[in-house]
Amino acid sequence: MMKKLFFILLVALSNNIISAQKTEVTYDEKLANELGGDNNGMKTYIFCILKTGSNTTATKEEKTKYFEGHMANINRLADEGKLIVAGPFMKNDRNYRGIFIFNCATVEEAQKLVETDPAVKAKIFEVELTPWYCSAALMAVPSTHKKITKPTK
């Protein structure tokens, strides 16, 4: 009898613990609208792959200048809300250098944005652009990134 009572108590406690661990998710229409999400919480972006470009004759000084401009352009586009994610790839055998995820709906608009990049203009990078459907929550990355980036002294 004691074993049976202990087993029932154990099952009841387990169910309570499992129930307590479940979090109820509620649809936040205001947030979905702010982030541009559709009924599935998704939106269209333009995904950009940066590859090694055809300019193989740029000097070290020229490359330094292009990369400074490249980083300034990334920061400007991010501040304008046009660039949601950017980052380099690690060394690979595909000549992939990095990605951009643009907050725009057309390849044509994204093409105009990448043409403002000095490293793309100088053919240090070439780009491939394609529409991409992903969570609208990605729009929260820039503001979150600022909160987790330690200020430089």
Side-chain angles (χ1 to χ4, degrees):
M1 176 73 171
M2 190 67 150
K3 283 184 182 180
K4 192 173 189 179
L5 184 59
F6 178 74
F7 179 74
I8 292 171
L9 184 60
L10 185 63
V11 170
L13 284 173
S14 296
N15 284 338
N16 285 342
I17 291 170
I18 290 169
S19 295
Q21 289 178 347
K22 291 180 185 177
T23 56
E24 189 174 319
V25 178
T26 9
Y27 174 67
D28 186 335
E29 184 175 6
K30 181 179 180 231
L31 181 60
N33 289 333
E34 287 172 6
L35 299 177
D38 62 16
N39 288 338
N40 296 314
M42 307 283 278
K43 71 179 272 81
T44 300
Y45 302 92
I46 301 299
F47 188 89
C48 174
I49 295 180
L50 296 154
K51 297 170 124 182
T52 302
S54 60
N55 183 346
T56 57
T57 60
T59 66
K60 186 175 181 176
E61 293 78 22
E62 288 172 326
K63 285 182 183 178
T64 298
K65 184 180 103 183
Y66 295 139
F67 278 99
E68 287 172 357
H70 172 70
M71 294 307 297
N73 196 58
I74 286 172
N75 290 325
R76 179 184 63 81
L77 291 172
D79 289 344
E80 292 174 1
K82 293 292 186 183
L83 185 60
I84 302 307
V85 172
F89 283 111
M90 307 313 275
K91 187 174 177 130
N92 62 80
D93 61 357
R94 295 180 151 199
N95 290 322
Y96 287 177
R97 302 292 298 277
I99 66 163
F100 290 152
I101 299 176
F102 289 108
N103 178 27
C104 54
T106 68
V107 168
E108 294 76 20
E109 184 181 354
Q111 183 65 45
K112 289 177 184 173
L113 296 174
V114 295
E115 288 172 1
T116 65
D117 188 312
V120 173
K121 283 182 190 177
K123 302 201 182 302
I124 300 296
F125 297 131
E126 66 178 47
V127 299
E128 290 182 14
L129 299 165
T130 189
W132 187 49
Y133 189 61
C134 182
S135 173
L138 200 59
M139 295 295 293
V141 167
S143 61
T144 302
H145 182 73
K146 287 178 182 176
K147 292 176 185 175
I148 63 169
T149 303
K150 192 171 185 176
T152 55
K153 294 178 182 180

